[in-house]
Amino acid sequence: MIKIGVIGSAGYTAGELLRLLVYHPKARVVFVHSASSAGKKISDLHTDLAGESELTFTAQLDFEGIDVLFLCVGHGEAKTFLSAHPTIPDRLRIIDLSQDFRIASPEHDFVYGLTELNRDRIRSARHIANPGCFATAIQLAILPLAAAGALSDDVHIHAVTGSTGAGQKPTDTTHFSWRNNNISVYEVFQHRHLKEIGQSVRQLQPDFNRDLNFIPVRGNFARGIFATVYMKTDMPEETIQELYKDYYREAPFTRVADQNPHLKQVVNTNKAIVYVEKKDGKVFIVSMIDNLLKGASGQAVENMNLMFGVPQTEGLLLKALAF
């Protein structure tokens, strides 16, 4: 049994992570840390867990009693937490869901936790930097081409995210009355996930030197990311489709679709669906995920499973919404 501690309790990713771990057949949550909520049941905050778990929040940190620590804290706070706790045992595995360690550096040993890219490295890693949600969807759209050295032109990306991607705390652009029946772009060509996307592309295709043109869009729905990508190519469509099928043949959650997909096929699941076709000398790719599962907490559980020799799909076979 994998014994687990969770730091950070209030956000959407922490809630999704706890829902998965409570039902994981080979894992047990030992503590969920929250000084402000100590003594309260986790179901007082994540009310859908009422009757499902009697866990309570604690202000104590029992590093010796766990095998893996999940950091579900804000960007910048993971580094602060680890710096403040230098006595964390070396044997303890850590999975960080923030952006703090996603970019490789001599200053840390975190492995970038995209299973479709670094599966073997994840298995032997002590520390994992869980990818960003936009970054996951976009990388799954283009990594098979990068692996073949076939990214030879600028890459154009348009991706729409649900409101949960901005976190739980309401802001001017996330509260319901603004987001409902509305749409807007932000951080055009400058989104923070571009750095990790570029890092992964160059891991597979070191000579890539073209632009990744990314337009992020705030959607008027709660969950999911729907990304469309296109670029010029001379490669035949059949060859491209075979590249994708071969690249994802051993990826249990990433499916290459034969028909143009829609977002409801992945919402509330850990699946990623990728669709590829060629038109007018351009390859066109659709990639979509649930931002809170495959884009965050579900992917974190995949990483945990791999690190502890558990089947990658353990505790993650969720079904899509009926409609």
Side-chain angles (χ1 to χ4, degrees), residues 166-241:
Q168 193 168 23
K169 186 177 180 180
T171 68
D172 290 345
T173 58
T174 61
H175 64 79
F176 178 80
S177 58
W178 188 91
R179 196 91 176 211
N180 188 46
N181 295 325
N182 202 4
I183 194 167
S184 65
V185 301
Y186 67 108
E187 295 182 11
V188 175
F189 306 143
Q190 297 178 336
H191 195 278
R192 64 177 181 269
H193 288 182
L194 279 169
K195 289 183 179 179
E196 59 188 281
I197 296 167
Q199 173 179 261
S200 296
V201 167
R202 292 180 180 89
Q203 179 179 327
L204 295 176
Q205 185 176 334
D207 64 348
F208 178 74
N209 61 358
R210 305 304 296 255
D211 289 338
L212 295 168
N213 299 311
F214 175 30
I215 299 177
V217 180
R218 302 180 184 98
N220 64 343
F221 52 92
R223 298 177 74 122
I225 289 177
F226 188 90
T228 56
V229 181
Y230 70 91
M231 69 204 78
K232 292 179 181 178
T233 184
D234 295 328
M235 191 177 292
E237 182 177 71
E238 295 79 7
T239 303
I240 296 170
Q241 290 177 342

Side-chain angles (χ1 to χ4, degrees), residues 3 5 31 62-69 88-94 126-127 307-308:
K3 292 174 288 185
F31 71 80
D62 179 17
F63 296 132
E64 296 296 337
I66 60 173
D67 303 307
V68 60
L69 184 69
I88 291 176
D90 288 342
R91 61 158 189 86
L92 185 62
R93 308 288 182 90
I94 297 173
R126 286 194 315 121
H127 300 151
M307 294 169 86
F308 288 92

